Amino acid sequence: MNSEMIMQANQDPQLASIIQQADLVAADGAGVTLALKLNGIKQQRYAGIDLGAALLKVAGKQGADCPVAFYGGKPAILPKAVNFWQQQFPRLSVVIQHHGYITAAEQEQLLAELQAQQPRIILVALGIPRQEVWISAHRHLCPRSIWLGVGGSFDVWSGTKARAPELIQKLNMEWLFRLAQEPSRWRRILVLPQFVLLAIQEWWQKK
């Protein structure tokens, strides 16, 4: 959950419902942790990419007992992201990998593979809100699995894009680092100050 997702959910009842029904919502973003703090809740930021990495480390140690599926990203990026993790954990069992640019027929094939293979961890990188909607629509196929939306994580794991240095992450300034890398994101970044203003307004009204 980040500021952008919350702002979208305010305008999209379907996304809002999906968030409310999720088994776990992690605070991914400086704006979210600030809003929680204003409401008396101290919550550390935990980025989706870090949660995804933590799950893959567990899967990498368990091998075939914890098969994994990767879905999303660009055709040239996905294999590199998978290879990155298999190099670190040779026992990592990746039973399914499909990029996010597939046809309707390939989509049906993917769903059939998920139902047949029953991977324990399913990482979906389609961007907000597409990945959340897709997970919500299909999670019944693998009811015992962990389904996680990981946004642009495949880009980082593939080496295509760099993650912000640890110090910048701790300062909650990762959004600024991403803006410097991708200036075209400026419209999306504008959501952050809008969200913060709304959070402060809500806090003031309660006060």
Side-chain angles (χ1 to χ4, degrees):
M1 170 82 81
N2 58 23
S3 303
E4 181 182 2
M5 185 185 293
I6 293 174
M7 295 295 283
Q8 286 192 33
N10 282 338
Q11 305 296 325
D12 184 345
Q14 181 187 20
L15 178 58
S17 177
I18 290 170
I19 294 170
Q20 291 166 357
Q21 294 175 36
D23 296 311
L24 173 69
V25 179
D28 182 354
V32 177
T33 56
L34 172 62
L36 290 171
K37 187 176 182 180
L38 289 173
N39 283 277
I41 302 172
K42 187 177 181 181
Q43 176 63 54
Q44 183 178 354
R45 176 176 178 261
Y46 197 35
I49 188 172
D50 295 324
L51 180 55
L55 290 172
L56 287 171
K57 289 175 183 177
V58 172
K61 294 175 182 177
Q62 295 186 5
D65 292 333
C66 189
V68 177
F70 286 73
Y71 172 48
K74 295 180 180 179
I77 287 176
L78 178 60
K80 295 178 182 178
V82 173
N83 184 59
F84 168 79
W85 283 105
Q86 288 183 320
Q87 284 185 340
Q88 295 189 63
F89 297 95
R91 293 183 60 215
L92 181 67
S93 176
V94 180
V95 293
I96 296 173
Q97 53 176 306
H98 281 279
H99 60 74
Y101 296 79
I102 57 179
T103 64
E106 290 170 332
Q107 177 82 211
E108 291 302 315
Q109 179 185 350
L110 167 60
L111 297 178
E113 288 178 10
L114 285 170
Q115 194 163 24
Q117 295 285 351
Q118 292 295 309
R120 297 301 303 275
I121 297 171
I122 303 168
L123 302 180
V124 184
L126 299 175
I128 303 169
R130 186 182 167 201
Q131 62 193 19
E132 286 74 27
V133 172
W134 192 87
I135 289 173
S136 177
H138 303 299
R139 60 185 299 192
H140 67 278
L141 297 175
C142 305
R144 297 180 58 200
S145 304
I146 296 174
W147 299 67
L148 178 65
V150 293
S153 299
F154 293 0
D155 292 332
V156 176
W157 294 338
S158 69
T160 306
K161 294 179 182 176
R163 182 95 188 268
E166 188 173 347
L167 177 60
I168 293 179
Q169 294 178 40
K170 289 181 178 179
L171 291 173
N172 287 324
M173 298 294 287
E174 193 166 6
W175 60 272
L176 186 59
F177 182 86
R178 295 183 68 182
L179 178 60
Q181 279 191 314
E182 302 175 71
S184 60
R185 292 175 58 91
W186 69 271
R187 287 187 178 85
R188 295 174 61 181
I189 296 298
L190 286 178
V191 169
L192 180 57
Q194 292 173 7
F195 173 79
V196 171
L197 287 173
L198 285 174
I200 293 174
Q201 181 182 14
E202 181 179 304
W203 167 77
W204 181 257
Q205 289 174 344
K206 288 181 179 179
K207 186 178 179 181

